[in-house]
Each structure stands twice: as C-alpha cells, then as structure tokens.
Amino acid sequence: MTTHFSALDYVVFGLYVILIVGIGLWISRTKKGEEKTADDYFLAGKSLTWWAIGASLLAANISAEHFIAMSGSGFITGLGIAVYEWMGALTLIMVGKYFLPIFIEKKIYTMPQFLQLRFSRGVSTVFAVFWLLVYVFVNLTTVSYLGALAMQKIMGVPLIWGIFGLAFISGVYSIYGGLKAVAWTDVIQVVFLIGGGLVTTFLALNAVGGGSILHGFSEIYEKARDHFDMILTQGQMIIPDTVDPKTGEVLTTKDAFYDLPGLAVLLGAMWVTNFGYWGFNQYIIQKGLAAKSLNEAKRGLVFAGYLKLIVPLLVIIPGITAYVLINNYSPEELSVMIGKPIEAIGSIGKSDEAYPWLLKNFVPAGVRGLAFAALVAAIVSSLASMINSTSTIFTMDIYKNYMNKNATNKQMVFTGRIVAFVALLISSLAAQPLLGGLDQAFQYIQEYTGFIYPGVCVVFFMGLFWRQATVNAAWWTAIATFPASILFKIVMPDAPFQLRMGYVFIILVLIASVVSFVDKGKKVQSACPESFMGKAALNSGWALIVAAVIGIILGLTLSKPLEHLAFSSIYMFSTMLAFVGVILITNVKMKVADAKAIEVDKKIFETGPIFNIAAFGIVVIFTLLYFLFW
C-alpha cells in the first residue's frame, strides 16, 4: 500500500523540514564566548510563557501513537479510546493546581531529583532507571516505528530509513539546543499538527458526506453506531490482536473490553495512567518546570487541557471514518468517490494503517504534503522531548549523583548531548524488532508503561502530600512495583491490563501505608503546617473514607452482576479515595512527621479567576461529552 508524493508534496514537506530544523538550530545558538548552562540546556533558562508551555505539552504528547496508533484504535474500537484524551484534560487541571506548584517551589530539574529531596537517593535511582528504560525501549521505539510506518505507507520510504530519518530530524536540533530549542519549535509544530490534522479529518468527512462535513459526521455516526460507545461491555466487540506484518493476515483476536474495560475507564486505573503521565512524567512536566513564573505554568497546563479536548477530532474521528469507508462501500464505490482506479486505492491490513490510507486517498497533492508534515511534526516534537528528558534524567540523576558530583555546566551539557545521541541510536535499532507484529501499538504503550505507573503515583503522591510517609515506605513501594506488575501479568494474563494496574495500585497503597505507620524512621515532632490545617481538611478526609467504604460495599454487592462492565474497578477507586482521606486526616491529627516531609506555603496552590473559569469549562465539556456518547 505504498504511494509516491507529487513533486509539490515533496516541496511542501521539504520546506517543513528545513523550517523546523532551521528554527531549532537558530534558537540553539549562543553568543560568541558564551556557554550553555545546565539551566539553559535542561530547563530552557526558565523562560517559557503559558502559550508556549501549552503548545509544547501538546506537541510532546501528540505523536505517531496518536495519528497512527490511536487512529488505528479508533478504526477498530471507536470513540471509547478518547478517554485517554478527555480524562487527560481533567488531570491537567489537578496537576496545574496541586502538583506542579510544589515542583517549581522546590526548584527541581527532574522527577527523580524530587524523590531524592523527599526520600533518598536510592529511591530516586530506582525510578530514574525505570524511566530511562521506558523512554528508550517503549516511548522512543514506538514513536520512531509508527512514524516510519507512516512514511513507508504514504511515501514508500523503507521502514529502517524512515526510523533513522526521523531520528536525525528530531536529534539534529534537540541534542544541540536542549529544551529551549525543543519547546519553541514545538510552538511551530502545533500549528502544523492541528492544522494538518483538521485538513485530513474534514476532507475525509466531506467525501463521506458528499460535499458536507456535517452530513459526513452524521453518516459515520449512523453507519458505525457501535464505534461511538464510550463504555464498552464484555463481548461487545472482538478485534484483531496480532497480525502477520507481511500479509496483514489476522493471527489472533481479542475482546476490545481488554483495552477499554467498561466502567474501569472512569473508576479504575485510567486515573493512575493519567496522573503518572501528566503529573510525574519527565518529558511532560519538564515543560512546566521551565515556566517563567508559577502563574504562567498553571495557565499553560489548563491551556493544554483545552487542546487535549480537540485531539479526538484530529485522530480518532479519521479512524472511524476509515472504518466506515472500508466496511460500507464497495471497491467500485470507493473508486468513484476518490477518483482513482481500484488497484490504486489499496486496503487496510492492520488497524494502524487507517490514517496513512486516508492521507493517501483523500488528501490532494500539495495539501497531502502539508497534512503529512502535521504527522511528522507530531512525531518529531515528541521524539525531541523524549530525547531531552532522557538526557536530563541521566545527567542530573545518574551522572551527577554517581559519576561526577562536582560536574561543571560544560560537562553536564556535554554528557546530556552524548546520552541523547546514544538513546536515540539504541531506540532506532530496537524499534522494528520490538513492534513489527503488533496490530495496535497504542495499547502496547499503555500496557507496558502501566507496569511502573502504579508505583510512580503512590510514591509521588505520598511524597508530595503525606507528612508521615517514610523513605522505607517509598523504597518498598518502588521495589514492589515492577515485580507486582509482572506477577499479575502472569497470574491474570486474560484480565484487562487496566484492572491489573488497579490491583497493583491497591497492593502498593497497602504497602506504603503499613510501612509508613509501622516504620519509626526519622520521624520528628512537627506542628501541622498551615497548608494542611483546618477543620475543612479533616472533614474532607472523613468524607472520603466514608465514600471509600460505600464503594467497597457496592463492589462486594455488584461486582459479580456487573462483571461485564468491570465494576470491580470500584475497588481501586475506593482505595484511591481512602488513601487521600488517610493523608488528610493524619496530616492534621498526627503530631509527628517524617524528617524530610515537604513543607510549602499554601499560597502556591491559589489560582486566579482565569484558571478557575477555564478549569470549570473543561469539567463541563467533559461531562457533556460523556452524556452524549455514553
């Protein structure tokens, strides 16, 4: 299913590459005689404005796994996969109000650095290694592979050349210029990815609607009604799991419930995924850490929340549209609609080929180059962010801690560049062997990053807010995270991975809580700080405990009858409520705290009317979307 660009397409795409690389290198320049400092290279000199933060967050987030893999999930399962985007918007509000202010207040560079400040270097190192492995062997490999797959399907570029080509484009300016080059080129990339993404969506809908985009949306809604269910039930939809990469033949199938298990997307580990990704993920949160002020950081995150709300329009609706076109129109009808001979239209062998198929058949010459530039913009911006964050974590948490404690700015920047290059090389070499046979690579990313997110959430949450949490609690939680995830994978191989993540989360909360209460550690006498004081906090804590008990009772009563909706996920939700409740109550009631407990001024959590109104708008839109597409 390869095709060749027109000369105009190549010109448009080539101009995009020259523009991005040129701007990236121009931003990276330094004045004669000056050297980049670690602050410049890893945190952009703390110069980012709210709109640059929001744009860069979206650009780092939206990548090949969205345009290719999430579109593929839209093709095969439908709008339900949008929960990752819409719940992400809600999560950004909480991260902007409660998490990011503490990170900025403590002037940290990396997430492991916060763990070292709050707990110990050992805990910090465990998570630093976790993240480095995930970035290199999951995130970078997946983005590189899916981007190269798109180039192969659309331009006819051999897969391996596409992988290394994308690595070169993203690496040439990000390795040299650091976060500043990444963030400001992201502002340009967002214009391409939103504009180009909308072009593809509108042209495909226009074709289905016979010249009307609104009629096209109505058509795909009527012809693929099951693809607009946000809550899937067990057995509702059987989809491909693995396919032959050469023939496209389906080798195994699975229940779509495995990926989107009913109510678990609202009550279960989807919260863990989102908090782990948006709150404690280095290549995401690093953009907020680089803000010129705390207020700019908060506004940047809520702006990114609105951008997240429109992502399904760019990537999932095209996937559903491709599904309707392939399954409701004969080859002859498609030939007439597109204006191409049947043999030139091609087919969709794997779900992840849906977006390239649309781009090839429904976007005209010239515009196709622009739309493809949008796809590559998403890929390159994500790769650049991941590369920079990989080098930041290694340099600040491994190199500076263990190899050269007195490293100069020059040595740290040089090390960061070397590490970025090596990480990019390893991921490029590993991409095809790891991912060649998967049908939905988006789910691969979610499942295997889910191996560490439960531990990440528990450790960071108690590190940020729980005064009684001890280093041993963090240590044992960190150590137990990966083995517990593997154990549940072995013991419950057929259970949806979101349910397994939820069970791991419950176990880790119990470990963290028991160890924190039993371990005397380095507890000291400490009056409750003003940020945690007050009857309101205490009442809220008890209310959450009561809600958690009610949730557990409902789970015991209804889990079996509502098994087809994964109602057992309410146990995880109840555990999360109880955990927060215990933290609020003990922070107020207990007169001792861990010696390294975080003390902050409650004023950093205050938000102005602009943030509050914008946040309320996101909540309202989220509620309406689920009301319409439940």
Side-chain angles (χ1 to χ4, degrees), residues 560-574:
K560 195 64 178 177
L562 297 179
E563 185 178 6
H564 62 292
L565 285 172
F567 191 71
S568 59
S569 59
I570 199 169
Y571 293 131
M572 195 231 94
F573 192 73
S574 298

Side-chain angles (χ1 to χ4, degrees), residues 385-455:
S385 291
M386 292 169 190
I387 294 164
N388 183 258
S389 291
T390 302
S391 70
T392 304
I393 288 177
F394 185 91
T395 303
M396 305 305 295
D397 300 301
I398 305 295
Y399 174 73
K400 199 168 188 303
N401 269 341
Y402 295 99
M403 300 178 183
N404 189 353
K405 294 181 180 179
N406 299 312
T408 64
N409 279 312
K410 184 176 182 179
Q411 289 171 324
M412 286 190 287
V413 171
F414 177 76
T415 300
R417 286 170 173 164
I418 295 297
V419 170
F421 175 78
V422 172
L424 198 55
L425 180 62
I426 292 172
S427 63
S428 297
L429 292 172
Q432 189 172 0
L434 282 176
L435 299 168
L438 293 180
D439 184 65
Q440 291 188 77
F442 183 77
Q443 301 300 344
Y444 167 84
I445 300 170
Q446 305 312 317
E447 177 160 6
Y448 287 98
T449 53
F451 272 40
I452 68 165
Y453 277 156

Side-chain angles (χ1 to χ4, degrees), residues 449-465:
T449 53
F451 272 40
I452 68 165
Y453 277 156
V456 167
C457 286
V458 174
V459 171
F460 270 94
F461 200 83
M462 66 182 182
L464 285 166
F465 303 113

Side-chain angles (χ1 to χ4, degrees), residues 13 23 95 146 150 175 224 230 276 280 295 317 320 325 341 412 493 553 578:
F13 180 68
I23 290 176
V95 172
L146 292 176
I175 292 175
M230 293 297 297
F280 314 123
N295 194 44
I317 296 302
I320 299 174
L325 288 164
M412 286 190 287
I553 293 171

Side-chain angles (χ1 to χ4, degrees), residues 51-97:
W51 48 272
I53 293 167
S56 192
L57 279 170
L58 187 75
N61 169 236
I62 303 301
S63 187
E65 74 262 29
H66 287 78
F67 276 100
I68 303 301
M70 187 173 270
S71 187
S73 293
F75 176 87
I76 205 69
T77 61
L79 192 62
I81 201 71
V83 66
Y84 284 97
E85 306 308 305
W86 293 339
M87 193 171 284
L90 289 182
T91 307
L92 280 163
I93 297 171
M94 289 179 269
V95 172
K97 183 170 177 63

